[in-house]
Amino acid sequence: MRKNKTFFFGLCLLGLTCLGCTEAAETRSLVNLLLIDAPGDFDEVWVEVNGVEILPAGIRGSEENASWVSIPYQAASNMVLVSALVDDTQLLIGRTEIPAGDISKIRFLLGDVVYLINDDVRTDMTISPDSESLLEVDVDISTQSGLSYDIILDLDLAQSVVANQSGGFDFVPHLRVFVSTGLSEITGSIFPISIAPHVMAISATDTFSTLTSGDGGFLLSGLPEDEYEFKIAAPTGYQDTTFTLLTYPDSTLTLESITLKASTSP
């Protein structure tokens, strides 16, 4: 299950970047909205993306007097191959300046078209009637004047695509939003590159998952400091691999390349 990265944007601004020394910049912050994916067992999943809305804190931090800031997704096509957003591939939905201070909510705006492709067959999905509420996430993000922040929208396809009783699929969006400050990530490569195993970091309270990319690389990001069971769920013909890892704030844990062993015949 190989993915085409050619029309996705990487981000060159990592961490916090000075916006300039003008008086206006010192009262505002720049936010970059980036989409990533925790994929499921499908060749392709396409989602119509319209943009993102941010709710900064209003006067004296009250939501009652705050106004939503709209960041539309402006591209040649709004249809996004979300299942290709693995390893370090990210989609820049948009960026904008907002008043420095707190952000309390993020809305991910989707269109009406969501479908998957498996074995070259397209299946349109039914979008959950609760999708608007599921795509509005409470956050606690503080921004400082003159700095830039990467806000990550992690759309978990493994949990969002749900088989229904009619033999089709429902799209019940499962979204996680985070800023990487204070969090960690795990990266590495798994071989053979053709098998695309599931990669998971499992703690006592949560599970983070992804697939490998076309070159065997993977990236699990936005992990709190914790002890994790790191598991590679291999496809038929190969053995699963499991071991324990510790993560620390503001760090990247780079694993040595892992080559999965073939299963022994019974």
Side-chain angles (χ1 to χ4, degrees), residues 31-164:
V31 289
N32 308 294
L33 284 305
L34 301 165
L35 180 65
I36 63 173
D37 162 44
D41 291 317
F42 314 104
D43 293 345
E44 298 179 4
V45 176
W46 291 83
V47 174
E48 184 180 14
V49 175
N50 290 335
V52 176
E53 292 180 337
I54 296 175
L55 184 63
I59 300 172
R60 294 182 297 278
S62 172
E63 290 185 6
E64 295 181 359
N65 49 51
S67 298
W68 288 90
V69 177
S70 179
I71 304 98
Y73 176 54
Q74 298 177 324
S77 171
N78 283 56
M79 294 306 302
V80 173
L81 181 57
V82 179
S83 53
L85 300 176
V86 295
D87 199 3
D88 58 352
T89 306
Q90 302 168 325
L91 173 67
L92 178 61
I93 298 175
R95 56 166 56 99
T96 192
E97 290 187 6
I98 61 171
D102 296 332
I103 299 173
S104 61
K105 292 181 185 293
I106 298 284
R107 283 180 185 158
F108 186 29
L109 306 177
L110 298 184
D112 299 326
V113 182
V114 180
Y115 63 89
L116 62 85
I117 295 177
N118 217 24
D119 296 330
D120 296 323
V121 176
R122 169 173 167 166
T123 302
D124 291 300
M125 290 186 277
T126 301
I127 300 176
S128 167
D130 299 324
S131 62
E132 288 189 9
S133 61
L134 294 172
L135 291 170
E136 183 175 306
V137 179
D138 292 329
V139 296
D140 184 13
I141 300 173
S142 296
T143 66
Q144 298 181 30
S145 61
L147 297 180
S148 173
Y149 295 81
D150 296 343
I151 299 178
I152 310 298
L153 287 77
D154 183 2
L155 185 61
D156 189 338
L157 295 183
Q159 298 188 59
S160 300
V161 179
V162 180
N164 58 38

Side-chain angles (χ1 to χ4, degrees), residues 212-226:
T212 54
S213 62
D215 61 2
F218 70 88
L219 176 67
L220 288 165
S221 57
L223 279 65
E225 179 182 12
D226 210 334

Side-chain angles (χ1 to χ4, degrees), residues 1-3 14 29 65 82 108 162 175 190 209 219 254:
M1 184 161 59
R2 300 279 59 86
K3 310 302 179 186
L14 299 178
S29 302
N65 49 51
V82 179
F108 186 29
V162 180
L175 181 68
I190 300 172
S209 64
L219 176 67
T254 302

Side-chain angles (χ1 to χ4, degrees), residues 176-198:
R176 183 171 65 106
V177 179
F178 62 91
V179 172
S180 58
T181 304
L183 301 176
S184 62
E185 57 187 22
I186 303 172
T187 187
S189 297
I190 300 172
F191 299 96
I193 64 175
S194 60
I195 61 176
H198 280 268

Side-chain angles (χ1 to χ4, degrees), residues 186-191 199 212 216-218 230 232 241 243 245 252-260:
I186 303 172
T187 187
S189 297
I190 300 172
F191 299 96
V199 182
T212 54
F218 70 88
F230 182 82
I232 303 172
T241 298
F243 50 89
L245 295 175
T252 297
L253 180 58
T254 302
L255 304 181
E256 295 184 1
S257 297
I258 299 169
T259 299
L260 298 182

